[in-house]
Amino acid sequence: GAVVSQHPSRVICKSGTSVKIECRSLDFQATTMFWYRQFPKQSLMLMATSNEGSKATYEQGVEKDKFLINHASLTLSTLTVTSAHPEDSSFYICSARAPGGAGYGYTFGSGTRLTVV
Amino acid sequence: QKEVEQDPGPLSVPEGAIVSLNCTYSNSAFQYFMWYRQYSRKGPELLMYTYSSGNKEDGRFTAQVDKSSKYISLFIRDSQPSDSATYLCAMYYGNNRLAFGKGNQVVVIP
């Protein structure tokens, strides 16, 4: 089945530094990938839609200068949290739609737990 | 904002019991209904999906949709400790958009 790999699984960084999270589709090409954020006991909230070769589309209220998204190839999207602060601590999950996949084919990565200290 | 209501309260059941989970929604634009299972510190994985009212069965899992009442359910029969996870309902409403519930944490006690 379709696999989406996300790295790193956990990262701790100091306030003010930047962190990059990678999302790869391992066995399919994804022109579109999605970045979600999940707080404890809360639902997944879509942050942005990453489009290969073009600018990402951000959801209302998400700072595009803070959460930089790059989708340079059909199998890789990256999310960079710039100048991270403790309130950015959260669980970040990427997703991609695998062609012909069940349930509209949404396949999720295993998530990245970001802790900003 | 598309709204999906799911009571996130933890649910503890003894092994072998039936687990019953549900979500309600308010928007008729939702076209497709899914249940995801999410283990701790992992991403969601698709469990069940359906687009029509009625029941859909897959092994120990049954998904139920009632579009007239805007209500969906997931039943897990003969629950196992390995079923302990958070279960999220999700609804597709077009334009690559999924709306998720908050998730139900389920604990199956051996």
Side-chain angles (χ1 to χ4, degrees), chain B residues 79-98:
Chain B
S79 57
Q80 305 294 311
S82 59
D83 294 327
S84 298
T86 295
Y87 292 82
L88 298 141
C89 61
M91 306 182 187
Y92 181 78
Y93 58 100
N95 197 26
N96 278 325
R97 300 300 180 92
L98 287 177

Side-chain angles (χ1 to χ4, degrees), chain A residues 60-76:
Chain A
Q60 191 173 9
V62 177
E63 299 175 61
K64 60 181 180 182
D65 294 330
K66 175 127 184 105
F67 298 100
L68 299 179
I69 290 173
N70 185 281
H71 194 153
S73 78
L74 287 171
T75 59
L76 174 64

Side-chain angles (χ1 to χ4, degrees), chain A residues 34-38 42-46 93-95 106-108, chain B residues 1-6 23-25 30 34-38 43-46 72 87-93 96-103:
Chain A
F34 310 92
W35 288 96
Y36 292 85
R37 184 172 180 175
Q38 186 180 33
Q42 298 296 317
S43 62
L44 277 72
M45 297 301 297
L46 180 65
I93 307 174
C94 69
S95 173
Y106 286 97
T107 303
F108 290 83
Chain B
Q1 178 71 26
K2 312 296 182 184
E3 194 159 31
V4 178
E5 296 290 339
Q6 183 179 12
C23 290
T24 59
Y25 62 97
F30 291 138
M34 290 163 273
W35 286 95
Y36 286 86
R37 178 174 60 196
Q38 185 177 21
E45 55 179 330
L46 182 66
I72 69 170
Y87 292 82
L88 298 141
C89 61
M91 306 182 187
Y92 181 78
Y93 58 100
N96 278 325
R97 300 300 180 92
L98 287 177
F100 286 89
K102 290 184 177 180

Side-chain angles (χ1 to χ4, degrees), chain A residues 10-27:
Chain A
R10 297 180 65 182
V11 59
I12 301 173
C13 71
K14 291 185 177 180
S15 186
T17 61
S18 296
V19 173
K20 180 185 283 189
I21 303 169
E22 291 188 349
C23 181
R24 294 179 185 273
S25 56
L26 296 188
D27 48 3

